[in-house]
Amino acid sequence: MTKELCHVIEQISREKGISKEIMIEALESALLSAMRKKYGGRTNIHLTIDRKKCDIRVYETKLVAAEVADPDQEVSVKDAQAIDPEKKEGDSIDFPLDLHDLGRIAAQTAKQVIFQRVREAERDVIFSEFKDRTGQIVSGSVMRKEKGAYFINLGKTEAYLAIKDTLPTENLKRGDVVKAIVEEVKITSKGPEIIISRTSPQFVGELFRMEVPEISEGLVIIKSIVREPGERTKIAVTSKDTAVDPVGSCVGMKGTRVQAIVRELRGERIDIIPWTDEPRTLIARALSPASVEKIGVNEDDKTAMVVVNDQQLSLAIGKKGQNVRLAMKLTGWDIDIISDTEYSKIRLEETDKALEDSMKKESQKKETPSVDA
């Protein structure tokens, strides 16, 4: 029996990822609860399980008394000394009980307590495993779709992926394997809830960390990353080592690294930009793939006026303003874009106004009488 018990404990411990000590403590608690219930709730009933051999010892502890008032709690000096001659009044003595006396109802109670403790231990194990994985990527298969969310099988548990946190073009099916970033792990009445997302900018950042060894090793740093899920991501990178090209590292040989990420993002476009602290250069790069002609900046207000070739205007602004919107988020600058033609018109108007002002001043000088005469 004890060998079988040890085997069962070790097996459940391995399968559920619960420590053997927790399993034994749960079993002790469950059996003790059942035994005390059988003996009318007496608190002088005790139970221990040997950690190595799994021997179960049940006993009741009684107080040695000159006169026995409560036979359930006390024993006479004569009866105590019949077992241990050293015992005297005021001492306590243990009497073994037979575990087989456990009734059917008590055994059922023990079983329920064991299952409950195992479930609680499982929840603790899952929470401990995932609570420090916020911001990391997990991979799993789609189990089902219900109430506006997908439930993703992560092995020991499942994760919650809201449809709003999937890519706009995605329609996941049962069995599809997806990657996502862990956004939050919280305890609920039903156990740990793991909330994941595929739309977070950090998800793309972690995909780069997985695909680009130079990022995971800390040679290449992601300075900023912004995203409109399913459409476009802009990521600014820099290198700690002048011999390491940050953009080339992210792109990979023949684009293999970035292509793997684009596939995971269902074709989302990715602009990889070398970071610089010089605002004009950073803004120009952030507006890629458009080419920039001129940039004027106001560093106090963090505003920039960008002039682009007429043919580049729509590219610089992007579909529904997407490109310039992402560039502003990436750089932290408020960017205004105008075409070369608009810029020439503004300059011409400014020149005309300056000329007009100059002519007015000259005219006023001629009309003013001289005081020298």
Side-chain angles (χ1 to χ4, degrees):
M1 168 65 185
T2 54
K3 282 186 179 178
E4 291 175 3
L5 182 60
C6 277
H7 176 70
V8 169
I9 289 172
E10 287 174 0
Q11 187 178 11
I12 294 176
S13 176
R14 280 196 304 273
E15 289 177 358
K16 305 291 184 183
I18 304 167
S19 77
K20 188 177 172 183
E21 180 61 27
I22 290 176
M23 288 293 301
I24 292 176
E25 285 178 359
L27 189 58
E28 278 181 336
S29 174
L31 292 175
L32 178 61
S33 174
M35 286 299 287
R36 284 182 173 175
K37 189 172 183 180
K38 174 178 171 56
Y39 285 92
R42 286 164 50 190
T43 56
N44 63 332
I45 305 290
H46 304 287
L47 183 144
T48 59
I49 299 177
D50 184 276
R51 271 28 183 186
K52 291 184 178 177
K53 298 179 181 178
C54 297
D55 288 333
I56 301 174
R57 178 172 173 257
V58 190
Y59 57 95
E60 58 181 345
T61 303
K62 292 186 177 181
L63 180 68
V64 180
E67 293 184 7
V68 177
D70 182 356
D72 288 339
Q73 301 287 341
E74 297 170 333
V75 63
S76 67
V77 176
K78 181 181 176 184
D79 289 344
Q81 290 180 344
I83 297 172
D84 183 351
E86 300 293 325
K87 293 294 180 184
K88 58 184 183 298
E89 184 180 354
D91 289 346
S92 61
I93 184 169
D94 296 336
F95 292 90
L97 296 174
D98 189 353
L99 187 63
H100 294 94
D101 288 344
L102 207 64
R104 184 179 61 81
I105 297 175
Q108 186 67 28
T109 303
K111 186 179 175 183
Q112 288 174 357
V113 173
I114 289 171
F115 284 157
Q116 182 184 344
R117 288 296 182 87
V118 168
R119 278 198 297 273
E120 289 172 358
E122 272 187 300
R123 291 173 180 178
D124 290 344
V125 167
I126 291 167
F127 181 71
S128 299
E129 182 178 338
F130 284 93
K131 69 182 174 62
D132 296 328
R133 295 184 65 182
T134 303
Q136 294 182 15
I137 284 183
V138 293
S139 178
S141 59
V142 178
M143 297 170 61
R144 64 186 186 281
K145 176 184 175 184
E146 62 182 40
K147 297 180 181 177
Y150 294 101
F151 290 84
I152 310 299
N153 182 7
L154 298 181
K156 291 179 182 175
T157 187
E158 61 184 30
Y160 180 90
L161 175 62
I163 290 177
K164 68 178 180 59
D165 290 327
T166 61
L167 301 179
T169 55
E170 276 186 321
N171 182 22
L172 300 176
K173 295 181 175 58
R174 182 183 170 85
D176 284 353
V177 176
V178 293
K179 292 188 178 79
I181 194 167
V182 178
E183 288 221 311
E184 187 181 5
V185 180
K186 58 184 181 182
I187 291 289
T188 70
S189 58
K190 296 179 180 178
E193 186 175 53
I194 301 160
I195 299 168
I196 58 177
S197 169
R198 284 173 57 76
T199 56
S200 157
Q202 285 69 35
F203 175 51
V204 181
E206 286 304 305
L207 288 174
F208 271 98
R209 201 178 305 282
M210 287 174 64
E211 293 291 336
V212 182
E214 289 85 350
I215 293 179
S216 60
E217 291 168 5
L219 291 174
V220 172
I221 309 294
I222 297 174
K223 295 290 289 186
S224 181
I225 182 166
V226 293
R227 184 183 183 202
E228 293 201 356
E231 298 288 339
R232 184 182 288 272
T233 286
K234 286 183 183 288
I235 177 170
V237 291
T238 187
S239 174
K240 285 184 176 178
D241 187 340
T242 53
V244 177
D245 172 16
V247 176
S249 299
C250 293
V251 173
M253 185 72 72
K254 296 182 179 179
T256 50
R257 291 175 177 176
V258 72
Q259 283 169 11
I261 297 169
V262 169
R263 279 196 297 275
E264 180 61 37
L265 301 178
R266 312 289 194 249
E268 186 172 314
R269 285 165 291 182
I270 299 176
D271 299 329
I272 306 170
I273 298 154
W275 176 267
T276 173
D277 292 327
E278 205 289 303
R280 287 180 177 81
T281 308
L282 180 64
I283 291 168
R285 290 172 180 173
L287 286 169
S288 65
S291 300
V292 171
E293 298 285 327
K294 302 181 185 68
I295 297 180
V297 298
N298 182 331
E299 297 199 7
D300 292 334
D301 297 336
K302 293 201 78 173
T303 57
M305 171 72 80
V306 176
V307 181
V308 297
N309 186 284
D310 288 13
Q311 286 73 35
Q312 293 282 306
L313 183 62
S314 60
L315 190 62
I317 294 172
K319 185 180 177 183
K320 297 180 180 177
Q322 181 187 76
N323 197 51
V324 66
R325 190 164 55 244
L326 286 173
M328 287 194 287
K329 286 182 183 174
L330 188 78
T331 60
W333 283 72
D334 191 6
I335 302 171
D336 192 11
I337 301 177
I338 60 172
S339 68
D340 222 0
T341 302
E342 288 175 296
Y343 179 68
S344 299
K345 186 178 176 184
I346 292 170
R347 289 299 304 271
L348 185 61
E349 289 173 352
E350 287 177 349
T351 304
D352 288 347
K353 188 173 185 306
L355 184 60
E356 187 179 339
D357 290 345
S358 176
M359 290 176 68
K360 278 183 181 177
K361 286 179 182 175
E362 286 299 321
S363 175
Q364 287 171 352
K365 282 182 183 177
K366 289 178 181 176
E367 291 173 0
T368 304
S370 172
V371 293
D372 294 338

